[in-house]
């Protein structure tokens, strides 16, 4: 199975969810393994409005654009390296396909010194690490958009 890319139908996501391998659950979403693909997960929204998936998709795409050299924009390609990559979202936003990272062990707190101040969720379960040990945000459905989008707040990292 290959990763879904872009905006796809809900049915395409449903057919890929490994319901036998749930990976986690929060107040608004469940996270599942993907059949035939070990490097991504599917986040399924439980809420009537799929806000968190929509926000993560929007933030990821904004981070990609922030790395581009656009006239009048100071590129910040390093910022996107701090977030798990989003690959695809369903038409309804109920499903989101994202990079799969390792969870932190109990009592193992992720270092938070390089994160943008506009990320609101700082609990250990909101972070994961790559096989190389790099820390990334895996749950960024709650951000302060005023801080993230205000041009005066574009300092890359705190």
């Amino acid at each position: 199975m290959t990763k879904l890319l872009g905006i796809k139908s809900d049915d395409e996501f449903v057919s890929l969810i490994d319901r036998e391998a749930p990976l986690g659950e929060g107040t608004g979403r469940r996270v599942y393994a993907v059949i035939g693909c070990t490097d991504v997960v599917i986040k399924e929204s439980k809420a009537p409005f799929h806000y968190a998936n929509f926000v993560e998709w929007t933030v990821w795409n904004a981070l990609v654009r922030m790395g581009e050299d656009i006239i009048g924009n100071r590129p910040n390609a390093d910022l996107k390296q701090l977030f798990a990559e989003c690959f695809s979202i369903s038409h309804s936003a109920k499903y989101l396909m994202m990079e799969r990272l390792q969870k932190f062990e109990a009592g193992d707190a992720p270092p938070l010194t390089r994160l943008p101040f506009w990320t609101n969720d700082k609990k250990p379960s909101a972070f994961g690490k790559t096989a190389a040990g790099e820390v990334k945000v895996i749950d960024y459905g709650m951000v302060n958009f005023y801080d993230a989008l205000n041009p005066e707040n574009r300092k890359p990292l705190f």
Side-chain angles (χ1 to χ4, degrees):
M1 192 244 97
T2 60
K3 295 177 191 97
L4 297 177
L5 299 174
I7 302 170
K8 301 295 183 186
S9 73
D10 286 13
D11 290 341
E12 287 181 80
F13 282 86
V14 170
S15 69
L16 297 174
I17 293 174
D18 186 349
R19 299 268 179 206
E20 302 299 316
L23 301 173
E25 185 168 350
T27 55
R29 298 185 287 181
R30 291 180 194 94
V31 181
Y32 292 99
V34 176
I35 296 169
C37 197
T38 60
D39 60 344
V40 293
V41 297
I42 293 177
K43 294 182 175 184
E44 177 184 37
S45 175
K46 300 186 291 186
F49 179 66
H50 314 302
Y51 177 79
N53 283 346
F54 176 78
V55 169
E56 286 180 350
W57 179 252
T58 302
V59 168
W60 174 256
N61 283 282
L63 291 167
V64 169
R65 294 289 300 203
M66 288 172 71
E68 296 175 1
D69 188 8
I70 300 170
I71 295 173
N73 180 40
R74 189 174 63 220
N76 186 356
D78 293 338
L79 190 56
K80 103 175 173 177
Q81 303 306 319
L82 301 175
F83 292 83
E85 184 175 355
C86 291
F87 297 102
S88 184
I89 192 166
S90 69
H91 287 134
S92 70
K94 183 173 182 172
Y95 303 100
L96 178 76
M97 185 175 279
M98 180 182 270
E99 176 182 12
R100 184 175 182 173
L101 300 172
Q102 301 169 16
K103 292 181 179 182
F104 280 89
E105 301 299 323
D108 191 17
L112 303 177
T113 57
R114 296 185 50 216
L115 292 175
F117 64 93
W118 45 262
T119 57
N120 291 342
D121 192 349
K122 302 217 185 328
K123 65 184 179 293
S125 62
F127 301 90
K129 55 187 171 181
T130 65
E134 298 165 325
V135 176
K136 291 186 178 185
V137 184
I138 59 174
D139 184 353
Y140 49 97
M142 292 175 43
V143 297
N144 183 325
F145 276 110
Y146 172 77
D147 286 335
L149 300 175
N150 185 336
E152 297 300 316
N153 295 331
R154 295 267 171 93
K155 296 181 181 96
L157 306 170
F158 63 74

